[in-house]
């Protein structure tokens, strides 16, 4: 039996479903039942009738799925697939910010630990960050941990005053303005689609700024033939599969998240076979972190 057939058999035996983030390797996306951004996948996890969820992504994503589906088994196939951006801030840092700015609400990007979510007031994703901050009655807002996304939100909402945390995604931060000029010189008619985790001077040059799902939707609706993609290379899998008649080029050759790329088809097989790695969230964080996620749903 091929490894894909073995995975299929294990899925049936265990009543399991495979969720893959847009940043996963093509070989992983092709065995997945659902592909998308972390929040979409967490909602799938909460709604599926499957008992076991294999979350091909990074740690905070599997943790978010576990928060929304606490009675299901959530497996992260590679135990050390972390997120350096999420690791830039701890729950103690958030408590210190709240002491420094008493009464100022805290918005945390989904790229954060359950403990950080538990200390925050509302969560957001890159797809809804502007809507979430706009929906808060307060003028001043603490935005953690992605300073680039925070800068993008601040520019979209000049009436707000954002207090930013200096975290950033090491992969998206690699893109420079010179990459844009070189890519535009090679593909002069192309549209530039970038993620708001990119640096502000790169974001300022884009034709469209959005989350992975928004970039995929925009490319499917726009008339252009050629696109320069300023986010993790994994989105090319869906873009090229869904739109074979269009051309997509990665804006920077280093747009590969090393943590996302740890998961292979073999890891998915082993996760199902050995029931690894079973994600648990500390009881002390659960209720407050879930409330922070639900607050996002209300505001967005
Ligand atoms: O929300 C996600 O899954 C992340 C981290 C990025 C995106 O734009 O999908």
């Amino acid at each position: 039996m091929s490894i894909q057939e073995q995975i299929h058999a294990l899925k049936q035996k265990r009543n399991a479903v495979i969720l893959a983030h847009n940043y996963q390797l093509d070989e992983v996306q092709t065995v997945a039942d659902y592909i998308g951004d972390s929040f979409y996948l967490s909602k799938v996890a909460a709604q599926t009738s499957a008992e076991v969820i294999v979350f091909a992504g990074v740690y905070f994503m599997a943790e978010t799925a576990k928060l929304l589906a606490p009675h299901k088994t959530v497996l992260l196939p590679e135990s050390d697939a972390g997120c350096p951006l999420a690791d830039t801030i701890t729950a103690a840092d958030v408590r210190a910010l709240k002491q420094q700015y008493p009464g100022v609400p805290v918005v945390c990007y989904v790229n954060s630990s359950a403990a950080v979510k538990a200390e925050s007031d509302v969560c957001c994703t890159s797809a809804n960050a502007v809507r979430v901050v706009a929906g808060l009655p307060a003028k001043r807002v603490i935005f953690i941990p992605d300073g680039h996304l925070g800068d993008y939100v601040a520019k979209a909402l000049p009436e707000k005053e954002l207090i930013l945390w200096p975290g950033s995604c090491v992969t998206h931060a690699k893109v420079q303005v010179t990459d844009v000029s070189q890519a535009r010189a090679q593909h002069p008619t192309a549209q530039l689609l970038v993620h708001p985790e990119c640096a502000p001077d790169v974001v300022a040059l884009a034709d469209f700024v959005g989350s992975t799902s928004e970039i995929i939707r925009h490319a499917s609706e726009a008339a252009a033939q050629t696109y320069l993609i300023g986010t993790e290379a994994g989105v090319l899998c869906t873009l090229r599969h869904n739109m074979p008649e269009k051309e997509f080029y990665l804006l920077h050759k280093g747009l590969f998240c090393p943590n996302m790329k740890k998961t292979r088809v073999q890891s998915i097989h082993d996760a199902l076979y050995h029931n690894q790695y079973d994600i648990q969230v500390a009881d002390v964080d659960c209720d407050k972190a879930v409330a922070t996620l639900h607050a996002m749903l209300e505001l967005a």
Side-chain angles (χ1 to χ4, degrees), residues 5-166:
E5 286 165 338
Q6 290 176 49
I7 288 172
H8 186 70
L10 281 166
K11 262 191 348 182
Q12 295 204 309
K13 186 172 163 205
R14 301 214 49 203
N15 185 17
V17 70
I18 300 170
L19 314 184
H21 191 267
N22 286 324
Y23 294 160
Q24 287 289 296
L25 285 169
D26 292 16
E27 66 174 55
V28 173
Q29 295 196 33
T30 50
V31 296
D33 299 296
Y34 298 90
I35 302 163
D37 62 30
S38 62
F39 193 62
Y40 162 74
L41 295 175
S42 295
K43 283 191 293 187
V44 171
Q47 285 159 13
T48 178
S49 58
E51 288 161 49
V52 176
I53 291 140
V54 180
F55 203 122
V58 292
Y59 196 89
F60 78 83
M61 298 181 174
E63 214 181 34
T64 306
K66 182 70 180 178
L67 286 168
L68 294 178
H71 303 301
K72 294 177 186 160
T73 299
V74 177
L75 303 176
L76 180 69
E78 290 293 333
S79 60
D80 63 346
C83 172
L85 166 60
D87 293 344
T88 62
I89 192 159
T90 64
D93 293 324
V94 187
R95 286 193 290 275
L97 279 168
K98 290 196 290 190
Q99 264 196 332
Q100 197 182 344
Y101 302 102
V104 178
V106 180
V107 177
C108 68
Y109 188 27
V110 67
N111 297 40
S112 53
S113 67
V116 164
K117 288 184 178 77
E119 286 293 342
S120 303
D121 296 289
V122 52
C123 187
C124 74
T125 68
S126 41
N128 64 25
V130 173
R131 278 199 304 283
V132 165
V133 175
L136 289 169
K139 178 178 162 61
R140 288 183 105 192
V141 173
I142 298 169
F143 190 94
I144 56 170
D146 192 307
H148 290 168
L149 177 61
D151 180 87
Y152 172 71
V153 174
K155 287 188 174 122
L157 301 171
E159 69 280 14
K160 299 277 186 185
E161 189 190 319
L162 267 70
I163 298 152
L164 303 181
W165 183 258

Side-chain angles (χ1 to χ4, degrees), residues 189-300:
T189 60
Q191 272 201 10
L192 175 64
L193 318 184
V194 310
H195 198 280
E197 287 181 24
C198 288
D201 53 358
V202 171
V203 167
L205 299 172
D207 298 300
F208 178 81
V209 183
S211 67
T212 54
S213 308
E214 290 173 321
I215 285 176
I216 292 165
R217 191 174 56 240
H218 177 86
S220 72
E221 291 168 358
Q225 174 64 24
T226 312
Y227 298 85
L228 303 168
I229 302 299
T231 190
E232 214 276 352
V235 296
L236 294 174
C237 180
T238 301
L239 289 168
R240 288 179 176 151
H241 177 267
N242 293 359
M243 292 156 256
E245 72 290 0
K246 295 186 173 179
E247 285 171 47
F248 299 97
Y249 298 96
L250 209 53
L251 185 54
H252 184 285
K253 64 177 181 348
L255 276 166
F256 286 82
C257 168
N259 283 289
M260 283 285 180
K261 278 15 189 187
K262 284 179 180 161
T263 308
R264 315 297 302 243
V265 171
Q266 185 68 47
S267 338
I268 304 284
H269 169 276
D270 294 352
L272 282 165
Y273 192 81
H274 297 293
N275 199 47
Q276 64 194 25
Y277 293 90
D278 190 359
I279 298 298
Q280 300 295 335
V281 181
D283 283 350
V284 65
D285 295 325
C286 282
D287 290 352
K288 283 165 74 193
V290 169
T292 302
L293 288 166
H294 284 153
M296 163 171 76
L297 294 179
E298 275 162 38
L299 280 173

